[in-house]
Amino acid sequence: MAGFRNSDSPSITPFLWFDDQAEEAARFYVSIFPAGKLIETRYYGEAAPRPAGSVMTVTFELFGQTFIALNGGSQFQFNPAVSFFVEIETQAEVDHLWDSLLAGGKPMACGWLTDKYSLSWQIVPATLGRMLQDKDKTRANRAMQAMMGMVKLDIAALERAYNAR
C-alpha cells in the first residue's frame, strides 16, 4: 500500500480511551480470555497532561488481537455504537466470557453486554451464524426469533428452535 509506513504488513489496533482504568481493564480482560496477555506498559513523562510516572498506555492481546488502552481522562465515554464481537464454539465458552465480562456490568439483549468499564461486547456462538445463513429460511427465521428473545445466548435453545418441526 503506497503511502503507508511499514506498508509490508499494515494493521489496525483498537485504541481504547479510559479515564484512569487502562491498566486495571487490561488486566481484567487478559484474566478472562484464554491466552490473553499483557504486552507493554508505557508511562507519562514530565511534560505530559497526567502525573509523571503514571500509566499512559497498556498494550494487551486477546485471541491474537492487539489492543491499546489509554488513560486519557474523562472527556470521552464508550457506548454500544462500537462493540467487540467474540465468536466462540461452546456453551461453556459463552458462559465463561458472558459471566466474566458481565461482572459489574449490564446485560443487554441478543448476546450483548456492557462490562464494568462501559465497553460493549457481543458473545456469540459460531453455530448461530451458521443457522442464520441456512438456505432454509424457515429454520433461519426460527433461530433468529429465538435469539431475539434471549439476553445471554443459549446454544441448546437456539438449536431446539432451529430444528423444530
Side-chain angles (χ1 to χ4, degrees):
M1 300 182 113
F4 285 94
R5 251 182 21 182
N6 299 323
S7 61
D8 291 341
S9 60
S11 66
I12 296 175
T13 302
F15 195 91
L16 308 172
W17 182 299
F18 293 87
D19 180 5
D20 62 359
Q21 314 93 342
E23 184 174 32
E24 175 187 322
R27 289 185 185 284
F28 175 69
Y29 299 136
V30 301
S31 75
I32 292 170
F33 285 83
K37 62 183 176 182
L38 295 172
I39 297 172
E40 178 182 40
T41 302
R42 293 187 179 186
Y43 301 90
Y44 280 107
E46 294 297 325
R50 307 277 332 272
S54 65
V55 172
M56 179 173 67
T57 62
V58 179
T59 303
F60 61 101
E61 186 177 287
L62 308 175
F63 286 154
Q65 172 66 54
T66 301
F67 295 80
I68 300 174
L70 167 74
N71 282 329
S74 62
Q75 57 268 51
F76 299 113
Q77 306 297 312
F78 297 121
N79 70 60
V82 174
S83 63
F84 292 107
F85 182 91
V86 183
E87 187 175 61
I88 49 355
E89 291 297 328
T90 69
Q91 189 65 48
E93 291 170 314
V94 169
D95 294 345
H96 168 71
L97 291 176
W98 177 272
D99 296 343
S100 298
L101 288 166
L102 188 59
K106 290 185 346 185
M108 297 192 322
C110 305
W112 290 56
L113 65 88
T114 301
D115 71 23
K116 63 184 173 182
Y117 304 104
S118 299
L119 196 57
S120 295
W121 299 84
Q122 298 177 60
I123 308 303
V124 181
T127 189
L128 177 61
R130 292 187 291 270
M131 290 176 192
L132 297 178
Q133 294 304 307
D134 194 312
K135 290 183 185 349
D136 181 337
K137 296 305 175 198
T138 301
R139 294 180 87 192
N141 288 340
R142 286 194 307 255
M144 174 64 82
Q145 288 291 32
M147 182 210 53
M148 296 297 291
M150 295 178 184
V151 178
K152 176 170 74 171
L153 299 183
D154 179 327
I155 295 172
L158 290 166
E159 287 173 342
R160 280 192 303 276
Y162 176 75
N163 291 319
R165 296 280 174 212

